[in-house]
Amino acid sequence: MNTKKLIHYAIILACPILTYLFPAPLGLPIIGWHLFGVYVGTILAIMFKPFPLPIVLLAGVALASIVVGTTPAETLADGTKLALKENDVLNGYKSGTTWLVFAAFAMSTAFVTTGLGKRIAYLMIRAFGGTTLRLGYVNACLDLLLSPAMPSTTARAGGIMFPIMNSVTVSLGSDPEKSPRKAGHYLLLNTYMIVKTTGYMFLTAMAPNAVALELMKPITGITFNWPQWFLAASVPGLLCLLLTPLVVYVLYPPELKKVDNAAIAKKGLEEIGPISKQEKTLLGLFVVAVLAWIFSEQLHVSPSTIAISVMALLVILAVINWEDLLKNKGAWNTFIWYGGILGLSSVLDKAHFFTWLSETLKQVMNFGEGHATVATIAILTVSVGVRYLFASGGAYVAAMVPVFSAVGMAAGAPPTLLALGLLFSNSYGGALTHYGSGPAPVIFGAGYHDTKSWWIVGAVVGFGSLLIHVTVGFAWWQTLSGMGIF
């Protein structure tokens, strides 16, 4: 074991240990102080990566359970008795949010396994991909179409769009060493910037979305269902999606403008073969799932129940088999670590930590009267900028969403604007760097990009999206609030 790892271990272990060596801050229950140490240690472990993410969260859950089980019940200032149970830490695994994300991964697996995602892509290339710019918009349309059912941006961008666009790039004669700017630089960079835009369009479009919503709920008191989320994201999101391929094209225009899309599509469709029964069934289930999510309230069925039902039908109707789901490491990893982080957050809430944090921050945060919108914009700007430090959207959500939520509420930010701003910035903030989320290293590793061009485009897309959200987005969300949508 090298010195660097030893230092990381020491820092991680110091967090919970220090909460036993030093007294709890005034107003914070003792168990909340101890659990805070476990939570911070877990977040640091997510960032340092001494072990795979699921192992880190299982260790955090185990330690939190020990803390809960060994900390005596405490009588609070108002006379109420605070006594948590060890099983409270496991609540994240029975959360509908965790199961919604996990079940949605099943449909994601089906799109890749059956080849339906690739088929739709080649059909769209044949119909609309006559130029490199149009190919950029084909990418945008396809990603928007797939995103409601694929919470893994790595699966969408890395598993479907990257192989297709990379093969298109090769067929166009664009080589990563000799001619990257001929087509590959634009097409692949656009692939990543698009997935960071579609990632916040739907609650089920990116795995951290639902988790971020759950983490901020006890702080802001705000929650959104599937249709509300889409309505809020639709206007600013579609505007960003419309602009992204053009912005990337203007910043770094490809040398090749015209494309023989008919030949590319013909070759791709021939390799896939005729449409199968499984693809037709999957398409029908996909439409049913989206419609059911939209009308879930009218149907009196929760989004998680819909997702689990569709997952079961995918196996029952032989679209995929159980072995396909067992092989989907992303789904199981997500289930384990997201359930763990939600469990840690839930016991922190029950231990009155977030209440204490909000009250404490109110005493130090003051933007002055009438500056609530300024406070919101300032917090959202920081939330995007801080993404330069994170190589994982999940790590950012776990570490920063509760903090920014508490800071915003303490500063008097409008809860709805703050919540939606933070939920959406998590996705487009990941556009900034070539390590910002799972698909980034896959696409960057193809060799068509240099760090400078990626960071320039990422900054324009990331902070440009922020500008659209705090102008057009704020106006749209206030309109929806006035109509009683939220």
Side-chain angles (χ1 to χ4, degrees), residues 186 245-254:
Y186 168 71
L246 181 60
V247 167
V248 180
Y249 189 91
V250 170
L251 289 174
Y252 290 95

Side-chain angles (χ1 to χ4, degrees), residues 58-70:
L58 286 177
V61 166
L63 186 55
S65 298
I66 293 172
V67 168
V68 170
T70 56

Side-chain angles (χ1 to χ4, degrees), residues 107 211 247 379 463:
M107 195 173 292
V211 178
V247 167
I379 291 166
F463 287 103

Side-chain angles (χ1 to χ4, degrees), residues 113-136:
T113 302
T114 63
L116 180 61
K118 287 186 176 181
R119 183 179 303 280
I120 295 172
Y122 282 121
L123 289 173
M124 294 178 71
I125 288 172
R126 184 175 66 185
F128 308 110
T131 67
T132 44
L133 179 59
R134 287 184 179 178
L135 283 175

Side-chain angles (χ1 to χ4, degrees), residues 135-424:
L135 283 175
Y137 279 100
V138 166
N139 193 333
C141 292
L142 177 62
D143 209 77
L144 180 65
L145 179 65
L146 296 179
S147 55
M150 297 191 74
S152 171
T153 55
T154 304
R156 286 208 314 276
I160 293 181
M161 290 313 307
F162 170 73
I164 292 173
M165 286 301 167
N166 192 46
S167 64
V168 169
T169 294
V170 172
S171 70
L172 295 176
S174 183
D175 182 85
E177 294 184 2
K178 299 178 181 178
S179 54
R181 295 291 176 85
K182 187 174 182 179
H185 184 275
Y186 168 71
L187 291 176
L188 297 180
L189 186 55
N190 180 69
T191 296
Y192 182 69
M193 297 303 158
I194 287 298
V195 81
K196 292 289 91 185
T197 302
T198 58
Y200 62 84
M201 291 291 294
F202 304 93
L203 175 60
T204 49
M206 193 172 74
N209 288 346
V211 178
L213 184 61
E214 288 294 314
L215 290 179
M216 66 170 53
K217 187 192 301 183
I219 304 169
T220 63
I222 296 292
T223 189
F224 305 102
N225 58 30
W226 201 92
Q228 288 173 328
W229 182 297
F230 172 67
L231 280 175
S234 60
V235 171
L238 289 174
L239 179 57
C240 289
L241 192 63
L242 180 66
L243 292 174
T244 296
L246 181 60
V247 167
V248 180
Y249 189 91
V250 170
L251 289 174
Y252 290 95
E255 297 168 359
L256 183 67
K257 311 298 181 186
K258 297 288 185 178
V259 176
D260 187 358
N261 55 309
I264 293 171
K266 181 180 179 182
K267 180 181 177 182
L269 290 170
E270 286 177 350
E271 291 176 352
I272 298 174
I275 188 168
S276 64
K277 177 183 177 182
Q278 287 82 359
E279 290 177 80
K280 294 177 182 178
T281 305
L282 172 59
L283 185 59
L285 289 175
F286 171 65
V287 173
V288 169
V290 172
L291 290 175
W293 280 328
I294 292 173
F295 298 106
S296 59
E297 288 192 0
Q298 290 82 353
L299 295 171
H300 303 290
V301 181
S302 70
S304 56
T305 300
I306 294 167
I308 293 172
S309 300
V310 171
M311 179 176 70
L313 286 171
L314 287 170
V315 177
I316 292 170
L317 298 177
V319 176
I320 55 176
N321 56 50
W322 182 243
E323 293 299 321
D324 292 325
L325 292 179
L326 290 177
K327 293 175 184 176
N328 190 336
K329 294 180 180 179
W332 292 104
N333 284 341
T334 300
F335 179 81
I336 292 172
W337 91 263
Y338 276 13
I341 204 69
L342 287 184
L344 290 177
S345 176
S346 68
V347 291
L348 274 175
D349 181 41
K350 290 183 178 181
H352 298 273
F353 173 79
F354 294 122
T355 302
W356 170 84
L357 180 62
S358 298
E359 292 299 322
T360 302
L361 290 173
K362 283 180 182 178
Q363 300 174 18
V364 296
M365 294 291 297
N366 183 12
F367 282 80
E369 293 293 331
H371 293 86
T373 302
V374 174
T376 309
I377 294 174
I379 291 166
L380 292 180
T381 302
V382 175
S383 77
V384 174
V386 79
R387 286 307 303 274
Y388 280 110
L389 305 176
F390 286 87
S392 163
Y396 162 80
V397 166
M400 302 308 300
V401 164
V403 176
F404 286 135
S405 299
V407 170
M409 293 301 291
T416 300
L417 300 187
L418 175 69
L420 290 170
L422 288 175
L423 289 170
F424 299 162

